[in-house]
Amino acid sequence: MPWIPKACVVVPVDFSVHSLAAIATALELVAKPSDVHVIHVLMGGSDRDLLREWAPGTEAETWDSAGRQRLAEFLKSHDIAGVVQEVRLGDPGFAITDYARQQQAAMIVIPSHGFHGIRRLLLGSVADRVIRYAPCPVLVLRCHDHATHEPTDAG
C-alpha cells in the first residue's frame, strides 16, 4: 500500500521529550510542515497561575498570549518550524478532539506517558479521552513510566 501524506495531523504537546517524538512522527506523515497542527491546552483554574509560572512580571498578558509564547519558544528551541501553532484553554482531552474536528484532521498523533496505578488515577489519561472522542484515527506513541516499570533480571 503506497504512503499517502495526511492533509492535517494534530499533535498535542505538553513540552515533554515525548511531545518531540510525536511532532517528529507527525512530520513524517505529511507532505509539508504546515500540515502539522501543534496544540497545547492550558487547564484553567483559580489554583494555577500559569502566567506567573511561565512569564513572571507580565501580569498584563493573557494566558493565551503567554501560552502562545511558551509554545513558540519550545518549538524554536528544538528547531521545529513551519507547523501551525494553537493554544486552547480547557480540558485537554476535549479541547484536542474539538480542535481536530474543527480542522477536519486526518489523524491525531499523541504520546502516552504510560502511567499506571495511583499515578494514572490521579493524573487521568488525556490519551484515553482523545481516543474515546476523536473524530479521526489516533496514533498513540507508547512511552513507558520508568518510575514504576523498571526492567528486571528475573532469571
Side-chain angles (χ1 to χ4, degrees):
M1 178 168 81
W3 175 79
I4 300 172
K6 307 291 183 223
C8 175
V9 177
V10 173
V11 183
V13 298
D14 61 2
F15 306 119
S16 70
V17 67
H18 306 303
S19 296
L20 296 173
I23 295 169
T25 299
L27 287 168
E28 292 176 10
L29 298 172
V30 298
K32 58 190 183 301
S34 61
D35 290 335
V36 174
H37 292 238
V38 177
I39 181 172
H40 178 68
V41 181
L42 300 168
M43 293 178 50
S46 59
D47 59 332
R48 296 181 72 184
D49 189 346
L50 296 175
L51 188 60
R52 284 190 185 139
E53 180 181 331
W54 290 343
T58 57
E59 293 191 41
E61 288 185 83
T62 64
W63 283 7
D64 181 60
S65 62
R68 287 183 190 286
Q69 181 179 356
R70 173 69 174 103
L71 180 57
E73 289 169 0
F74 174 77
L75 295 172
K76 184 178 179 183
S77 71
H78 295 287
D79 296 321
I80 299 168
V83 298
V84 175
Q85 300 174 37
E86 180 66 23
V87 173
R88 297 277 172 111
L89 181 65
D91 176 275
F94 293 128
I96 293 162
T97 56
D98 288 347
Y99 181 76
R101 188 173 292 106
Q102 291 166 359
Q103 298 302 314
Q104 299 179 349
M107 179 177 282
I108 299 171
V109 178
I110 186 169
S112 172
H113 293 280
F115 294 136
H116 292 82
I118 192 72
R119 290 179 74 185
R120 180 170 181 149
L121 179 65
L122 294 175
L123 297 173
S125 176
V126 174
D128 285 346
R129 189 167 291 148
V130 168
I131 292 166
R132 188 173 301 128
Y133 297 106
C136 58
V138 178
L139 174 60
V140 179
L141 302 179
R142 180 94 166 104
C143 305
H144 298 283
D145 179 7
H146 297 291
T148 59
H149 285 64
E150 296 281 333
T152 60
D153 292 327

